Amino acid sequence: MQNEVVSREEWLEARRALLAKEKEATKLRDSVNAARLALPWVKVDKDYVFETPEGRKSLADLFDGRSQLLIYHFMLGPDWDAGCTGCSFLSDHVDGALPHLNHHDVTWVAVSRAPLDKIAAYKQRMGWKFPWVSSFGSDFNFDYHVSFSPEDLAKDKVFYNFTPMQPADANDELPGLSAFYRNDKGEVFHTYSSYARGPEELIGTLMILDRAPKGRNEDSTMNFVRRHDEYEEAAKAPSCCH
């Protein structure tokens, strides 16, 4: 299906109308960003331990000497054969940003419940460089509502994206992004979390596609996405990060 074809003058009028909406969206984004920065914080008193290539580390250790930490809750469960397609799509955009984040006093770390050897194998397959650690045996994923036990999924509701939801709509692992701050005394605070489509703006490819003539050209959220080494293969199941 092709859009209506008009004169250059008619196109310019329609484009100016869209520009007004784009400016509204930009101002709204600025307002949302300001509100995000103004959120109150919660002190993290629980001791979490993560398995890393350098040995066991605490949450405070993951900051790597910086004051800000972004944790991507990457969907890779202990018994999964590969990482989530949607999480992999987002993670393809991270390595290039690392020098800029680190220079701006921000550390990025991916966290999954899969054991470290499984994480390392998938990371090598994908060719990624960003830090990725295991929370296996820790309550971390459960406390931040991105992992769910069989007992959780057997209940009437599970809590995800700050809302009770039907277990049938959930999974043992779900995606998210959490932010933390570490002060000069070494105290750690949880400042922000975002789930479901919340971290979508981190996926630059989607932002580029939104400007293409056919947009995302999808039947459901990110159903066109494959792991970057699978595009030559037959079509696989849709992304698990809907």
Side-chain angles (χ1 to χ4, degrees):
M1 180 178 177
Q2 181 176 294
N3 289 24
E4 181 184 6
V5 177
V6 298
S7 68
R8 173 61 61 178
E9 291 74 18
E10 291 173 300
W11 180 88
L12 185 58
E13 182 179 354
R15 180 63 187 91
R16 283 172 173 160
L18 175 60
L19 178 60
K21 291 185 177 181
E22 289 176 335
K23 288 183 176 181
E24 288 178 9
T26 298
K27 291 178 181 177
L28 178 58
R29 184 181 66 219
D30 290 343
S31 175
V32 169
N33 287 342
R36 183 185 295 118
L37 292 176
L39 275 175
W41 296 352
V42 178
K43 187 177 179 182
V44 180
D45 291 318
K46 195 167 185 177
D47 293 327
Y48 296 106
V49 177
F50 303 87
E51 298 293 337
T52 84
E54 296 79 30
R56 293 162 68 87
K57 291 187 178 182
S58 67
L59 181 60
D61 293 331
L62 296 186
F63 283 77
D64 197 24
R66 301 181 182 91
S67 70
Q68 301 167 87
L69 172 67
L70 292 175
I71 287 183
Y72 184 65
H73 303 287
F74 193 113
M75 295 170 63
L76 180 56
D79 57 351
W80 288 34
D81 294 326
C84 162
T85 307
C87 292
S88 300
F89 185 38
L90 183 149
S91 296
D92 281 337
H93 298 77
V94 173
D95 279 349
L98 287 181
H100 307 286
L101 293 174
N102 292 347
H103 181 73
H104 209 58
D105 192 33
V106 176
T107 296
W108 174 283
V109 178
V111 173
S112 300
R113 283 205 313 122
L116 200 58
D117 59 345
K118 184 168 287 189
I119 288 174
Y122 189 65
K123 182 179 178 181
Q124 181 177 19
R125 170 187 164 182
M126 294 289 100
W128 295 326
K129 303 298 183 183
F130 58 80
W132 193 353
V133 304
S134 172
S135 60
F136 186 72
S138 162
D139 293 332
F140 183 77
N141 281 44
F142 298 100
D143 289 349
Y144 287 87
H145 306 289
V146 290
S147 293
F148 305 92
S149 68
E151 293 74 21
D152 292 329
L153 296 174
K155 297 177 182 176
D156 292 335
K157 302 282 186 180
V158 297
F159 190 78
Y160 179 68
N161 201 16
F162 314 105
T163 308
M165 65 184 293
Q166 296 291 335
D169 297 326
N171 196 45
D172 58 335
E173 305 290 335
L174 288 173
L177 178 77
S178 292
F180 301 87
Y181 178 78
R182 185 172 184 258
N183 65 18
D184 292 338
K185 295 190 292 184
E187 298 170 317
V188 174
F189 302 87
H190 175 218
T191 67
Y192 177 74
S193 283
S194 181
Y195 304 98
R197 291 184 64 184
E200 187 175 273
E201 289 186 346
L202 279 63
I203 305 177
T205 300
L206 293 181
M207 305 301 110
I208 295 171
L209 287 175
D210 286 342
R211 276 86 178 158
K214 291 185 178 181
R216 301 185 188 186
N217 196 27
E218 57 189 9
D219 298 319
S220 59
T221 304
M222 296 199 305
N223 75 317
F224 65 92
V225 173
R226 306 289 179 263
R227 298 177 183 89
H228 62 240
D229 63 354
E230 293 178 341
Y231 279 108
E232 299 303 319
E233 299 180 9
K236 296 181 181 293
S239 165
C240 44
C241 291
H242 287 184

